[in-house]
Amino acid sequence: MKPMGTDPRILSLAAEVAISPEQNVPVILLKLKEIINNTPFGSSELKKVKQDIYCYDLIQYCLLVLSQDCSRIQGGWTTISQLTQILSHCCVGLEPGEDAEEFYNELLPSAVENFLVLGRQLQTCFINTAKGEEKDALLHFFEIVTDSLFWLLGGHVQLIQNVLRSDHFLHLLQTDNVQVGSTVMTMLQNILQINSGDLLRIEGKTLHSILDEVVFKLLSTPSPVIRSTATRLLLLMAESHQEILILLRLSACYKGLRSLLNKQEPGTEFSQELRQLIGLLSPKVYQEVEEQKLHQAACLIQAYWKGFQTRKRLKKLPSAVTTLQRSFRSKQTKMLLKLSRWKEEEDRILQLQLQRQRAMRLSRELRLSMLEIVHPGQVEKHNREIEEKSALIIQKHWRGYRERKNFRQQRPSLVEYKAAVTLQRAGSEVSDVISRELHSQAQERLQHYFMGRALEERAQQHREALMAQISTNIEQLMKAPSLKEAEGKEPELFLSRSRPVAAKAKQAHLTTLKHIQAPWWKKLGEEARDEIDVPKDELSIELGTLFIGGTKPP
């Protein structure tokens, strides 16, 4: 579909190409350069011009011309180099519209392939030509073609893969000519600066071929220009991708690369880049690279694990949503049921009110009809009868309410009364003999309990005394010196003094009790510290029941 409002210059140019002979088409297509140069760069007008050129198949004509034999084209390499510039400028920034698939999948890859083929042809002509002026012209055309290719790659980054995988590019890189090799390696360096990630997407064999050629030019080429470009290119590859650095460090193909680089005599132009490259190939840097690689691997594992967990939660999400929906619907159903019941209750109350109003209305109508029937002299008597009946009904309801209220208040007392009656009825069935037997059994059990309790208390006191004596003995033994260091008086310290101490404590206790229990008139004239004589018979104690540490009871 042709666009509306096409530039008249493009229309006339397309018509001229259509009616002109085949040999004149390349020269006619050169007029596109003037049209593009006269249009402001980056403007919407330039985009419209490029779209018109593509819609009228002028770009396809340029591509067809570039695929022909150079000797059959008028103007030779001059026309071809200019057509490569026109083609690259027209393809960059072009919006193909409906034909996007054909443009990206067919036209652009064909253009890249034609550029590389032209580069190889120019390389062959340049190497085979002996004249100096002609060699300079061919080198100039070669640089124009490579610049056009680089311009096209800058606008369409996805084409870098096509260049790196092409055998024509590898042949261009493997040239021994200094000028052509420097141009190709500079273009490769610029391409990797645009997107260095494409280098790892190519096949391993192609990647090894590129690395081998760059390393070969760095180590064997005497030209400082080639060596400088190769050093910068290799440094760019190693810094951009750890895989390439590990390959240079561990691969058997590049064994001894670091030692060979140390033997180089770098010039002033690329000595710094060479030192950086040697530093990257050192074992310390390699260890850091390995650690960084392990860190990236750990991050990758964590990313996969988190992704797995997220996908697992997403799989469970429908069931969770179903549960939430079920809960919400159940709650909503309960609310609707409650609302419907409330509405039914409201309707019932309203119906009762309406029934009451209707009954009252019917009653009044009945009364009025009865008043119409009754004799006027009996109306007053009838009204009194109605009032008395109404009063009786009101009194009946009031008394019923009052009695029910009193009954609710007296209900606890009635319950207690019934319980007492039940207990009395049950107790009266037990005879006196059985009651005495139960009483005697209870007394025996109480006596047995108190006797056992006294024995337990004595045993507990005895255990406490034993524990105290054992603790004292252990403490004395811990503090006692060894048998070699013991003196004559020290064994006497372990003799028990429990009997006199207990007797003295008992005497002091009884003295204090007697002093406290004496009447006040006996305490006159006595001091608090005066000792009171106590008879010896009151000091008698059962020493057999007292534990004397270290001795046996008498």
Side-chain angles (χ1 to χ4, degrees):
M1 182 178 178
K2 304 301 181 183
M4 301 297 294
T6 306
D7 194 327
R9 296 174 296 177
I10 297 176
L11 285 174
S12 62
L13 186 60
E16 187 177 358
V17 170
I19 63 175
S20 298
E22 182 181 354
Q23 62 272 16
N24 296 333
V25 171
V27 180
I28 297 172
L29 291 174
L30 294 178
K31 297 179 182 179
L32 290 173
K33 185 175 182 179
E34 182 179 358
I35 297 174
I36 294 173
N37 292 334
N38 292 334
T39 307
F41 182 76
S43 62
S44 58
E45 183 181 356
L46 182 59
K47 291 183 179 180
K48 183 65 171 57
V49 168
K50 292 179 180 181
Q51 189 174 8
D52 294 340
I53 293 172
Y54 177 73
C55 291
Y56 282 93
D57 296 333
L58 296 178
I59 293 180
Q60 289 82 344
Y61 276 111
C62 293
L63 193 59
L64 288 174
V65 172
L66 293 178
S67 62
Q68 296 177 3
D69 188 6
C70 174
S71 59
R72 298 174 55 185
I73 297 176
Q74 185 179 358
W77 288 111
T78 304
T79 304
I80 290 175
S81 61
Q82 292 180 5
L83 286 176
T84 56
Q85 289 180 333
I86 294 171
L87 181 60
S88 61
H89 282 79
C90 289
C91 291
V92 175
L94 173 63
E95 297 178 0
E98 298 178 355
D99 301 331
E101 185 176 359
E102 179 184 358
F103 176 74
Y104 288 111
N105 297 336
E106 297 181 8
L107 192 145
L108 290 178
S110 300
V112 170
E113 191 68 16
N114 286 332
F115 283 1
L116 293 174
V117 171
L118 291 174
R120 285 198 63 186
Q121 293 176 0
L122 284 170
Q123 179 187 18
T124 304
C125 294
F126 179 79
I127 295 173
N128 295 331
T129 302
K131 297 180 180 179
E133 296 180 358
E134 190 174 354
K135 289 180 72 71
D136 294 340
L138 290 173
L139 181 61
H140 176 67
F141 296 145
F142 182 78
E143 291 175 353
I144 292 175
V145 173
T146 54
D147 291 342
S148 301
L149 177 59
F150 178 71
W151 181 267
L152 183 62
L153 296 178
H156 301 280
V157 184
Q158 73 276 7
L159 297 175
I160 296 178
Q161 285 287 318
N162 299 70
V163 174
L164 296 177
R165 293 174 180 174
S166 177
D167 294 335
H168 300 295
F169 175 75
L170 188 60
H171 283 87
L172 289 174
L173 188 63
Q174 291 175 350
T175 181
D176 294 332
N177 187 270
V178 176
Q179 296 171 324
V180 175
S182 176
T183 304
V184 176
M185 293 181 67
T186 303
M187 184 184 68
L188 177 59
Q189 182 180 355
N190 295 333
I191 289 174
L192 295 180
Q193 287 177 351
I194 295 175
N195 188 8
S196 61
D198 290 323
L199 191 62
L200 296 178
R201 297 190 184 96
I202 61 177
E203 298 179 357
K205 183 179 180 180
T206 306
L207 177 61
H208 278 278
S209 300
I210 294 174
L211 284 175
D212 291 344
E213 187 61 30
V214 174
V215 172
F216 174 76
K217 292 185 181 300
L218 174 60
L219 298 177
S220 62
T221 305
S223 174
V225 178
I226 296 293
R227 291 167 59 192
S228 175
T229 308
T231 303
R232 287 193 293 268
L233 183 57
L234 200 60
L235 182 62
L236 176 61
M237 293 179 179
E239 289 179 344
S240 302
H241 304 289
Q242 297 179 2
E243 291 81 356
I244 295 178
L245 180 59
I246 294 172
L247 183 64
L248 294 174
R249 183 68 175 83
L250 297 179
S251 178
C253 300
Y254 308 108
K255 187 177 181 180
L257 177 60
R258 184 169 176 267
S259 59
L260 291 174
L261 292 176
N262 286 324
K263 296 177 182 180
Q264 295 290 322
E265 296 179 359
T268 57
E269 296 182 357
F270 65 102
S271 58
Q272 184 177 358
E273 290 84 357
L274 187 60
R275 285 195 298 271
Q276 291 178 3
L277 182 59
I278 295 172
L280 285 176
L281 297 176
S282 62
K284 182 179 180 181
V285 175
Y286 170 71
Q287 184 178 3
E288 294 176 356
V289 171
E290 283 293 323
E291 292 178 355
Q292 189 175 2
K293 186 178 179 181
L294 292 176
H295 176 72
Q296 291 180 353
C299 293
L300 185 61
I301 293 172
Q302 290 177 358
Y304 276 107
W305 172 250
K306 291 177 181 178
F308 169 73
Q309 292 291 333
T310 304
R311 289 189 294 273
K312 187 176 179 181
R313 287 195 295 270
L314 288 176
K315 288 181 180 178
K316 293 182 179 179
L317 186 60
S319 60
V321 172
T322 305
T323 305
L324 289 175
Q325 290 177 350
R326 189 185 301 111
S327 176
F328 174 75
R329 289 169 182 169
S330 175
K331 187 176 180 180
Q332 190 177 21
T333 304
K334 291 180 181 178
M335 290 180 64
L336 293 175
L337 182 61
K338 186 177 180 181
L339 183 61
S340 63
R341 289 179 179 176
W342 178 77
K343 289 183 177 180
E344 291 176 358
E345 186 68 20
E346 290 289 330
D347 294 338
R348 189 179 64 81
I349 293 172
L350 183 60
Q351 291 294 331
L352 289 175
Q353 291 178 354
L354 292 175
Q355 289 177 5
R356 289 173 184 171
Q357 292 177 1
R358 192 179 298 111
M360 291 177 64
R361 190 180 298 110
L362 291 174
S363 176
R364 289 175 183 175
E365 291 177 355
L366 181 61
R367 289 182 60 187
L368 291 174
S369 63
M370 291 180 65
L371 288 175
E372 291 177 356
I373 298 172
V374 176
H375 191 272
Q378 301 293 328
V379 173
E380 185 176 356
K381 182 181 177 180
H382 178 72
N383 289 334
R384 282 199 305 270
E385 291 177 356
I386 295 297
E387 289 177 357
E388 288 177 0
K389 289 181 180 179
S390 301
L392 290 174
I393 292 172
I394 293 171
Q395 289 175 2
K396 181 176 66 175
H397 284 285
W398 165 251
R399 287 171 183 169
Y401 167 73
R402 185 181 60 186
E403 291 300 327
R404 286 191 296 272
K405 184 177 180 181
N406 292 334
F407 178 76
R408 284 194 297 269
Q409 292 177 355
Q410 294 175 3
R411 180 175 291 178
S413 301
L414 291 174
V415 172
E416 293 177 359
Y417 175 76
K418 289 182 179 180
V421 171
T422 303
L423 290 174
Q424 289 174 3
R425 187 183 298 113
S428 62
E429 295 178 357
V430 181
S431 62
D432 295 339
V433 178
I434 297 174
S435 298
R436 290 191 186 94
E437 290 180 357
L438 293 174
H439 180 71
S440 61
Q441 290 177 3
Q443 291 294 330
E444 289 177 0
R445 291 181 179 179
L446 286 173
Q447 185 178 3
H448 181 71
Y449 169 74
F450 283 115
M451 290 178 66
R453 184 177 179 185
L455 293 174
E456 289 180 359
E457 289 180 355
R458 287 182 181 180
Q460 180 66 23
Q461 292 176 359
H462 186 65
R463 283 194 295 270
E464 292 178 356
L466 286 175
M467 292 298 296
Q469 182 63 31
I470 291 171
S471 300
T472 304
N473 292 339
I474 290 173
E475 185 177 357
Q476 289 180 352
L477 289 173
M478 292 294 292
K479 294 181 179 180
S482 61
L483 295 176
K484 295 179 180 180
E485 299 175 357
E487 297 178 358
K489 296 181 179 181
E490 289 179 352
E492 297 178 359
L493 298 177
F494 293 93
L495 296 177
S496 174
R497 298 183 179 88
S498 300
R499 188 183 299 276
V501 171
K504 181 64 176 178
K506 184 70 175 180
Q507 181 181 0
H509 178 66
L510 292 175
T511 302
T512 305
L513 287 177
K514 191 168 184 178
H515 182 267
I516 292 173
Q517 294 175 358
W520 64 271
W521 49 269
K522 285 187 178 183
K523 298 179 183 179
L524 295 176
E526 294 181 0
E527 295 181 359
R529 298 182 180 177
D530 291 344
E531 294 184 357
I532 301 173
D533 296 332
V534 182
K536 292 184 179 180
D537 55 352
E538 295 182 359
L539 294 175
S540 61
I541 58 173
E542 296 179 359
L543 297 178
T545 60
L546 180 65
F547 175 74
I548 306 300
T551 61
K552 295 183 179 179

